[in-house]
Amino acid sequence: MEYAEIVRGLLPPDLVARVGFFLEQHLEEVDGRGQFSLFTRLQPAMRAIPQHLNAQPLLFGMLKTEKLYCHWPPMARWVEPGHGLAMWPMHRDTDYNSHIEGDFLTVWCPLVPIDEACGGLTTEDGPLAPLDPGDVVILSKDCMHASTPNTSSRPRLSCDFRLFGEGATSTKHYLDLDDDCIVEPVHV
């Protein structure tokens, strides 16, 4: 089933502020596509949001699981103000995450206010805005979506996480959210 669901206020303001502040300290590591470096995304500070998500019954219900895992590292993005070309074309996350076999969700977390000018995500049904810091967008793995240009005078800062349950496997590293440890993939 294909869906995008906005969940208002799922992340507490202090958590959003801490992660946003951490990322803003690493802006010199953002590449030409607006992605933070692997080094930055692997830092322990990036575990705070998925650890909080691990306490949310909603996600367990959506994945029909009793245990959550998070593909590691997550993605973190910075889009400069007035960057009209900062777009990712319409796609499904299964196109870029074939290492996850089974069901998974993408949780997109804007760390700044999102309106249509600042951009963010859009689906075939239209833009997913406005959003406040602390709101999240939960996308099924087959949901068609795209990022949109940032034509505002404000930067866009966000991170996204791929969560899966016990019924799925990954051929890449992932974070066991209960044990707070990185699990290496098993290659057969």
Side-chain angles (χ1 to χ4, degrees):
M1 184 168 60
E2 183 178 320
Y3 59 86
E5 182 174 333
I6 296 172
V7 182
R8 305 259 179 221
L10 188 65
L11 302 177
D14 64 317
L15 173 59
V16 172
R18 278 195 326 267
V19 174
F21 179 78
F22 166 76
L23 289 172
E24 287 172 351
Q25 303 312 301
H26 296 273
L27 291 177
E28 71 282 353
E29 299 171 22
V30 173
D31 67 18
R33 297 177 301 167
Q35 298 176 355
F36 283 85
S37 71
L38 178 61
F39 175 81
T40 298
R41 294 181 289 125
L42 286 171
Q43 294 305 303
M46 293 301 295
R47 294 184 184 192
I49 289 176
Q51 287 294 353
H52 180 80
L53 295 174
N54 193 43
Q56 305 305 312
L58 171 70
L59 298 169
F60 289 87
M62 291 174 128
L63 286 168
K64 298 178 179 69
T65 190
E66 294 184 16
K67 190 167 171 75
L68 286 179
Y69 304 97
C70 181
H71 165 71
W72 206 253
M75 183 51 67
R77 295 182 174 88
W78 169 269
V79 180
E80 301 222 5
H83 199 304
L85 299 176
M87 305 181 305
W88 204 255
M90 195 65 73
H91 66 281
R92 291 179 176 89
D93 279 355
T94 52
D95 298 338
Y96 300 100
N97 294 280
S98 60
H99 61 278
I100 302 176
E101 296 179 26
D103 199 15
F104 69 90
L105 300 171
T106 296
V107 181
W108 184 68
C109 308
L111 303 174
V112 297
I114 299 293
D115 57 24
E116 287 193 41
C118 190
L121 293 180
T122 189
T123 66
E124 292 175 320
D125 295 328
L128 298 172
L131 298 169
D132 291 319
D135 296 344
V136 302
V137 176
I138 302 173
L139 302 163
S140 65
K141 67 180 184 178
D142 293 315
C143 179
M144 291 293 292
H145 64 284
S147 63
T148 57
N150 180 2
T151 59
S152 76
S153 60
R154 304 177 321 276
R156 182 169 76 220
L157 180 62
S158 66
C159 48
D160 45 277
F161 303 89
R162 311 294 176 286
L163 301 175
F164 58 96
E166 300 146 313
T169 59
S170 177
T171 58
K172 292 189 177 182
H173 290 81
Y174 58 91
L175 179 62
D176 180 321
L177 292 170
D178 284 343
D179 296 336
D180 193 31
C181 67
I182 304 296
V183 177
E184 290 190 37
V186 176
H187 296 286
V188 188

